Every structure is written in structure tokens, then in C-alpha cells.
Amino acid sequence: MTDKRSDLDEAALFFHRYPVPGKLEIQPTKSIGNQRDLALAYSPGVAAPCLAIHEDPRLAAEYTSRANLVGVVSNGSAVLGLGNIGPLASKPVMEGKAVLFKKFAGINVFDVEIDAPDVDRMVETIAALEPTFGGINLEDIKAPECFEVEERLKCRMNIPVFHDDQHGTAIIVAAAVLNGLELAGKDIATAKIVTSGAGAAALACLNLLVSLGARAENIWVTDRHGVVYRGRTEEMDRWKEPYVKDTAARMLSEVIDGADVFLGLSAGGVLKPEMLETMAERPLILALANPVPEIMPEIARQARPDAMICTGRSDYPNQVNNVLCFPYIFRGALDVGATAINEEMKLAAVRAIADLAREEPSDIAARALSDEAPVFGPDYLIPSAFDQRLILRIAPAVAKAAMDSGVATRPIEDMEAYLDRLNRFVFRSGLVMKPVFSAAKQAGQKRVIYADGEDERVLRAAQVVLEEGLAQPIIIGRPHVVETRLKRYGLKIRPDKDFEIINPEDDPRYRAYVDLLIRIAGRRGVTTETARTLVRTNTTVIAALAIMRGEADAMICGLEGRFERHLRYVDAIIGRRQGVKDLSALSMLIMQQGAIFLTDTYVSVDPSAEEIAEMTVLAAEKIRRFGIEPKAALLSHSDFGSRDSKSALKMRRAVSILREIAPDLMADGEMHGDAALSEDLRQRIYPHSVLKGEANLLVFPNLDAANITLTTVKAMTDALHVGPILLGAARPAHILSPSVTSRGVVNMTAFAAVEALQSQTPPLVAAND
């Protein structure tokens, strides 16, 4: 555990330092390309919006970024897991919160760390920031000061002030409690609730549960000094007063008898198995201390098999994670110009989250990466943080509650158009790899074999894969070389202990591999002598043979050597899926503005119309595994019939074929690239196009166009390339490019592991044959 933590710490330090320090930068939203642009952006043009805002302050939402700008403010007095480390040391945490706001909800953030240890200074400093921000997110401020700071700021400021440590946690907890009690057939008005912990988060949870119908007389609060009872003097304040009890009980063990809900926001191990035995039937246990819960789920399950269990950890079901709500609550509040985040808005968020967990999985979610979509029940009381529908449910619910409760200054007139804007953001958010990693962790440790096992990038990726539980690596490489390089790079994993290693120079399966290669490729020019040489020298061949023997579930190669050479061996040994005429490749580029897929970027030099239609269908199938509905644009120098060249006619015919073989796929062409990415432009050129919104799958007429576009856009935008994803192979096999990073290897490992979960093709021969 210490070594693993040390590795993670080193990786985190490297991540924060390179390629530039920190996690944030400022990007302009307007182009300054000439003298006139400069005059409009600054002097003298800037005077016009300044004067307009001076006359009507509401216009700041139209002429500045304030309406989409949140201040994440902290004095660093209660940083999760680190304590009172001060404002400067808390900055990485606040930058991280800013990244989550941007990635999950498209909200811009300035992180503001203030040297203000006392309440008065905090309030004065934060209140003075109101002209800058559309909302304030208070973060990591210790109790009880955080209560008073928020209370006073809400009275003084005319923008939302939200202490996420309190209310974000409370909203998720409340949703879990509503659903847990429903499954247990219990009424919140009569449920007995017992807490361990009486800090900001715990008290906010209880207050919100009271708003939902829980009764204070049924709530028992304990902390490190024991039960909150009348007459107690240690760490008592007015915020605990509603839950004070006239009782002789002093310990958690004395008040948990008959409890329907245990809420832990305290310390690891405080809830003992014997205490669970006295709780009511089908109890709900929220053990939210991190990283060690008040009781580990497996221990709780052993003591009470009927219990429903939530933790704050990502490696167990029902993770209570604030990212489930805070970005989307602010999204809804900002979009209507709310002057506050009130109780009605919080309750709307609770119900939206609870209702989403009860919904049937959407078609897209069900067709994503996991064979079994989550279903409402004891292990799915609240949605996953990976659920892309969160923003589509919470933000509109919060916005509507703001309008209904009278705190919205810019009410939404067309809710359908608003939902459409949110839908477009979901795709542009660039979070498409989230469900891949989630599904890979549930894939049962699929075995992924790496042909280039001596490469530093593979070894670094293998350590991450093991730490994250994404797959079980199998490394092809000479043991002494692998050992030396692991030590040189400071990696802790070791052959035969953490991962299997195949030595190409001396493996007991050598003869079996040679025989299998001759059996598969003997009629394609592979002689016995050639087979012997390949099995000794070609690691891609070894990896493919291991796949065919059922000794691995997926393979990754291509970090060294030419793509077409690796492709030749993969095609010859693994072959194509039944019904597929030719292999092709799909690439995904994740950029700041979102993600987009391109095909065929590596295989087909000049595909026919039939091949283009086939690769489009195969690419769409892969895209759905990311939980995304594909929208394909078949690209050309011709724009809806403007040219009749051979290439344009080919793409036009491919569209016709697609309509026959995949009538449900949204696809159109031939068209220009800008028309594919702009519905407004496309409507002006051809208003009858079946393609709606922005295309997310760009299909190119030949390899030149696809590969040049991929490599140029990647270099110009510093995009992360995921792929190439090989399409049409009989078993999960991917040939990466020599420019891939270790991060890219990790991404493709997760994808390959999930593919292997769904692959039903049996091995060609038994592993012991």
C-alpha cells in the first residue's frame, strides 16, 4: 500500500508540473486578428459595453463572461484529508475543482485562495468579489466558521453562494436516503437516523433530510465526544441545537439500536459489526469517511446481508461523490441568472438524482460498454458519476425551481431549446473515456497482452493498469531487459508477481505456437522455417497466437515498426469478423472543445463505396460503446452535389448504400468539413439533410485525407489521440502508432478490456494443446 501510494504521489507531482505547472490557463473567446479586432476588444470599442452595463447592470450577462463564471473560494482551513494546510497549499485542490466545473458543466472558474483565517475577514473579502462572478463556491472551510460565512454572504450577496462540502454532500446523501427507504418500504417521516460525525457536511445532510420530511426527534447525532445530549459542553454550537436529545445515552453503540439509516461522516472503523446487528431490517448504511469508511462494505455485508451500503469510494457501488451534483446545480442556477441557490433548488436536485437512478437505462447507455446496464436496486441507489444524463436532469430541474421560487433574473423561455444545448454539451465535454474506464474495472480483469513489452510506455502503462484495476497485463519481453528497465524507471511492478511475462527467446509454448502458426498461415506462404523464425523474433505474431490459444483476451501492438507490417500479421492470424470484407481503423481526438471520431485513418488507401459504407457501420458500432449516438458525415471536396468528380460520386454512392444497410444510422453526405460541424451552415447549403446537430463521425474518401487531417489537427490542437481502434477484427486487437504516449496505451487498454468482455469467440485451440 505504501509503495502504491508513493507511486501515485510521484505520478501526481509529475502530472501537476508538466508540460506546464498547474491545471488551468486563460483562453480568449474572441479572435484578435487585426487592428480593428483590437479596437473592438479594448480601447476605444470597449467603452460601449462598459457604458451599457453602467446604465443597466443586467447587461453584464450579455457583454461579459460573468454569467458563466464561478469563484471557487477557500482559506484552506479544512482541506479534505489534509486538514488546515492554509490557502497557498490548497491551490491544487481548488484548481482541480475548477477543472471539474469546466469538464462536467462547461462553467469557467477562477480559483481564489484567500489569507483570511477569521469569519469577518472572509466575509468582507468574498463579498467584495461580487462584481466579478456569477456565483461563489465555498470550499474546504472548517466548521463551525463555514456556517456563519455562508449565512452572512447569502444575506449580503445577490448571486448564488454554495458551500459544496455541506450542500453537495447533503444532496447526494438525500437522494440515496430517499431511494434506500423506498426499496426498504419505509417512510422518511418515521425513519430513525443515526449519525457519526457532526461537522458541516453531516449537519447539512440532516437539515436537508428534515426538509424532505424526516423528523428531528428521530435523528440521533454523535461525534468524537459521543452523543449530542442536552447539557453537553464539548464542541457544542447553535447548529447542533435542533438535534440535542434528553438522554442518558453517551455512545454510538447505545443509540444505534433500531436505526433505519446510519450516516457516517467521521472516521474509519467507528461502526462495528455488532452494532449493525441491532439495526432495523434492511438498514441503509452510508459510510462516507475517506479513504477508509466507518465500516468496510464486505464486513457490513457479512454482518447484515440485507443492508444497503454507500461509501465515498469509487471501487464500491453507490459512491457518494459531490461531482454528481455541484457542476449541474451551478449550471442550472447560472443559466437563469439565479440570485441564490435556495432550498427549493436543492430539493429539485435531490429528486432529479433520485429519479435518474430509477429510470430505465437509455438506449445509448444500454448499448455502451457494459453488457449489463445498472438497474435500480440495493447496489444502484444513486446514479454513477459517469452517467451523461446527470446534466440533462439536474440543470433543468434546478433552473425550473429557481424560476418557480422567484430567484431567476433571466428565466428560460424555451426549455426544449435549453435541453438541446445541454445535449450538445454532453458530447463536447470530452469526457467520453469515463464510461470506458468504469466498464473496464467491472470487466473481471481481462488479460491484455502487450507485444512491445520492453517499451517504457508499455511498462508505465502496465503499472497504471494494475493500480486502477483495468486489466491484467501480459508482457512480451526478455525478462532481464524488462527487470532492468522497471528499475531504471522507478516502477514497482515485477514480472511473475504482478504480471505474466512471455520470453520470446525461451518460452515452453514455442513448439505449440509454431504449429498453430503453420496451421493458420501455412497456405498463405508461411513455411515451417519462417514460422520458427517469426515465433522467436516477432512479438506481434506471439501476441496474436496467444489470443488465438485463449491465453489472452485482447492484444496491443504497434509501438515500434510500421503499421502495415503489424496489420499484415494481425489479419493473417486473427483474421476478420464474420461478414466483414476488410479491416479499417477509427481514431478519436479529444480536444479542449470536445471529442470527434475519424475513419479510416490507417488502413484503407482508396476504399470503394461499399468499403466506406462498411467502415462507417463498424465505426458507429464502436462509438455507441462510448455511450454516444453516432452522427456520420461523409466528407468530400463536393458539397451536396456541387462537384461530380470520381471521389465525390463514390461518397454519394456510399451514402446510398448506408441507407440500405443501416437505415437507423444518422448519416449524410457528400459534404464539406465545415458543413459537417455546423448545422447552420449545412442548413443554408442543403436544408433537407437528415444529419442533425454537429457530426461526431467524419468519414473520409481515402487514407490521404483521413491521416493528414488526423495528424494535422492533433498537432495544431494538442489533442489526445485515442486509437487507432481496429475495426472488423475477429478478436480484440489494436495496432497503435509509434507516437502514442503511455496515457494513450492506458486508454486503449481500457477499451480493449471492455471489448474482450463482449467478445464471445472461443479460442482456436485450447491453451494446453
Side-chain angles (χ1 to χ4, degrees), residues 552-572:
D553 302 305
M555 69 171 282
I556 289 176
C557 62
L559 279 75
E560 297 177 6
R562 295 188 177 278
F563 184 93
E564 56 270 26
R565 180 171 65 87
H566 296 285
L567 181 67
R568 184 166 65 249
Y569 292 123
V570 169
D571 194 14

Short mmCIF file of all heavy atoms in Angstrom, two decimals, residues 552-572:
data_model
loop_
_atom_site.label_atom_id
_atom_site.label_comp_id
_atom_site.label_asym_id
_atom_site.label_seq_id
_atom_site.Cartn_x
_atom_site.Cartn_y
_atom_site.Cartn_z
N ALA A 552 -4.81 -15.00 -23.79
CA ALA A 552 -5.03 -13.58 -23.57
C ALA A 552 -6.37 -13.22 -24.19
O ALA A 552 -6.86 -13.91 -25.09
CB ALA A 552 -3.90 -12.74 -24.18
N ASP A 553 -6.97 -12.14 -23.69
CA ASP A 553 -8.29 -11.74 -24.17
C ASP A 553 -8.24 -10.61 -25.20
O ASP A 553 -9.19 -10.43 -25.96
CB ASP A 553 -9.15 -11.29 -22.98
CG ASP A 553 -9.28 -12.38 -21.93
OD1 ASP A 553 -9.71 -13.50 -22.30
OD2 ASP A 553 -8.94 -12.13 -20.76
N ALA A 554 -7.17 -9.83 -25.19
CA ALA A 554 -7.03 -8.73 -26.14
C ALA A 554 -5.55 -8.43 -26.31
O ALA A 554 -4.74 -8.75 -25.41
CB ALA A 554 -7.76 -7.49 -25.63
N MET A 555 -5.18 -7.82 -27.44
CA MET A 555 -3.77 -7.53 -27.67
C MET A 555 -3.57 -6.10 -28.12
O MET A 555 -4.45 -5.49 -28.73
CB MET A 555 -3.16 -8.47 -28.71
CG MET A 555 -3.66 -8.28 -30.12
SD MET A 555 -2.71 -9.26 -31.34
CE MET A 555 -1.23 -8.27 -31.53
N ILE A 556 -2.39 -5.56 -27.77
CA ILE A 556 -1.99 -4.22 -28.19
C ILE A 556 -0.57 -4.30 -28.73
O ILE A 556 0.32 -4.87 -28.08
CB ILE A 556 -2.08 -3.22 -27.02
CG1 ILE A 556 -3.56 -2.96 -26.68
CG2 ILE A 556 -1.38 -1.92 -27.36
CD1 ILE A 556 -3.77 -2.07 -25.50
N CYS A 557 -0.36 -3.75 -29.91
CA CYS A 557 0.96 -3.76 -30.54
C CYS A 557 1.13 -2.45 -31.30
O CYS A 557 0.29 -1.56 -31.21
CB CYS A 557 1.11 -4.96 -31.48
SG CYS A 557 -0.05 -4.96 -32.86
N GLY A 558 2.24 -2.34 -32.05
CA GLY A 558 2.41 -1.21 -32.96
C GLY A 558 3.26 -0.06 -32.45
O GLY A 558 3.44 0.92 -33.18
N LEU A 559 3.78 -0.13 -31.22
CA LEU A 559 4.57 0.98 -30.71
C LEU A 559 5.91 1.11 -31.44
O LEU A 559 6.53 2.17 -31.42
CB LEU A 559 4.83 0.84 -29.21
CG LEU A 559 3.67 1.30 -28.30
CD1 LEU A 559 2.52 0.31 -28.29
CD2 LEU A 559 4.16 1.56 -26.88
N GLU A 560 6.34 0.03 -32.05
CA GLU A 560 7.57 0.07 -32.85
C GLU A 560 7.27 -0.56 -34.21
O GLU A 560 6.56 -1.55 -34.31
CB GLU A 560 8.69 -0.70 -32.14
CG GLU A 560 9.11 -0.11 -30.81
CD GLU A 560 10.18 -0.93 -30.11
OE1 GLU A 560 10.67 -1.90 -30.74
OE2 GLU A 560 10.49 -0.64 -28.96
N GLY A 561 7.85 0.01 -35.27
CA GLY A 561 7.67 -0.54 -36.60
C GLY A 561 6.48 0.06 -37.32
O GLY A 561 5.71 0.84 -36.78
N ARG A 562 6.33 -0.34 -38.56
CA ARG A 562 5.30 0.23 -39.42
C ARG A 562 3.93 -0.41 -39.18
O ARG A 562 3.83 -1.62 -38.98
CB ARG A 562 5.69 0.09 -40.89
CG ARG A 562 6.94 0.88 -41.25
CD ARG A 562 7.20 0.86 -42.75
NE ARG A 562 8.35 1.68 -43.09
CZ ARG A 562 8.33 3.00 -43.24
NH1 ARG A 562 7.19 3.66 -43.08
NH2 ARG A 562 9.41 3.66 -43.55
N PHE A 563 2.91 0.41 -39.26
CA PHE A 563 1.54 -0.04 -39.01
C PHE A 563 1.16 -1.19 -39.92
O PHE A 563 0.60 -2.20 -39.48
CB PHE A 563 0.58 1.14 -39.21
CG PHE A 563 -0.85 0.82 -38.88
CD1 PHE A 563 -1.36 1.08 -37.62
CD2 PHE A 563 -1.70 0.26 -39.83
CE1 PHE A 563 -2.68 0.80 -37.30
CE2 PHE A 563 -3.02 -0.04 -39.53
CZ PHE A 563 -3.51 0.23 -38.26
N GLU A 564 1.48 -1.06 -41.24
CA GLU A 564 1.04 -2.08 -42.19
C GLU A 564 1.68 -3.44 -41.93
O GLU A 564 1.09 -4.49 -42.22
CB GLU A 564 1.31 -1.63 -43.63
CG GLU A 564 2.74 -1.26 -43.94
CD GLU A 564 3.04 0.22 -43.69
OE1 GLU A 564 2.35 0.84 -42.86
OE2 GLU A 564 3.96 0.74 -44.34
N ARG A 565 2.89 -3.47 -41.37
CA ARG A 565 3.53 -4.75 -41.05
C ARG A 565 2.78 -5.46 -39.92
O ARG A 565 2.51 -6.66 -40.00
CB ARG A 565 5.00 -4.52 -40.66
CG ARG A 565 5.75 -5.81 -40.32
CD ARG A 565 7.23 -5.55 -40.16
NE ARG A 565 7.52 -4.68 -39.01
CZ ARG A 565 7.69 -5.14 -37.77
NH1 ARG A 565 7.58 -6.43 -37.51
NH2 ARG A 565 7.95 -4.31 -36.79
N HIS A 566 2.45 -4.71 -38.89
CA HIS A 566 1.66 -5.30 -37.80
C HIS A 566 0.29 -5.74 -38.31
O HIS A 566 -0.20 -6.80 -37.93
CB HIS A 566 1.50 -4.29 -36.66
CG HIS A 566 2.79 -3.90 -36.01
ND1 HIS A 566 3.46 -4.73 -35.15
CD2 HIS A 566 3.53 -2.76 -36.09
CE1 HIS A 566 4.56 -4.12 -34.72
NE2 HIS A 566 4.62 -2.92 -35.28
N LEU A 567 -0.32 -4.92 -39.15
CA LEU A 567 -1.65 -5.22 -39.68
C LEU A 567 -1.63 -6.54 -40.45
O LEU A 567 -2.57 -7.33 -40.36
CB LEU A 567 -2.13 -4.08 -40.57
CG LEU A 567 -3.52 -4.26 -41.18
CD1 LEU A 567 -4.59 -4.21 -40.10
CD2 LEU A 567 -3.79 -3.16 -42.23
N ARG A 568 -0.57 -6.76 -41.21
CA ARG A 568 -0.47 -7.98 -42.02
C ARG A 568 -0.53 -9.22 -41.12
O ARG A 568 -1.23 -10.18 -41.43
CB ARG A 568 0.83 -7.94 -42.83
CG ARG A 568 0.98 -9.12 -43.78
CD ARG A 568 2.08 -8.87 -44.80
NE ARG A 568 3.41 -8.77 -44.18
CZ ARG A 568 4.12 -7.65 -44.11
NH1 ARG A 568 3.65 -6.52 -44.59
NH2 ARG A 568 5.32 -7.65 -43.55
N TYR A 569 0.19 -9.20 -40.01
CA TYR A 569 0.21 -10.36 -39.12
C TYR A 569 -1.11 -10.51 -38.36
O TYR A 569 -1.60 -11.63 -38.17
CB TYR A 569 1.38 -10.26 -38.15
CG TYR A 569 2.72 -10.40 -38.83
CD1 TYR A 569 3.69 -9.40 -38.71
CD2 TYR A 569 3.03 -11.51 -39.61
CE1 TYR A 569 4.92 -9.51 -39.34
CE2 TYR A 569 4.25 -11.63 -40.25
CZ TYR A 569 5.20 -10.63 -40.11
OH TYR A 569 6.41 -10.75 -40.75
N VAL A 570 -1.69 -9.40 -37.92
CA VAL A 570 -2.97 -9.47 -37.22
C VAL A 570 -4.04 -10.03 -38.15
O VAL A 570 -4.85 -10.90 -37.77
CB VAL A 570 -3.38 -8.08 -36.69
CG1 VAL A 570 -4.83 -8.08 -36.21
CG2 VAL A 570 -2.46 -7.64 -35.56
N ASP A 571 -4.05 -9.55 -39.38
CA ASP A 571 -5.04 -10.02 -40.36
C ASP A 571 -4.84 -11.50 -40.68
O ASP A 571 -5.80 -12.27 -40.79
CB ASP A 571 -4.94 -9.18 -41.63
CG ASP A 571 -6.14 -9.36 -42.55
OD1 ASP A 571 -7.16 -9.91 -42.09
OD2 ASP A 571 -6.06 -8.96 -43.72
N ALA A 572 -3.57 -11.91 -40.80
CA ALA A 572 -3.28 -13.30 -41.17
C ALA A 572 -3.60 -14.27 -40.05
O ALA A 572 -4.06 -15.39 -40.31
CB ALA A 572 -1.81 -13.42 -41.58
#
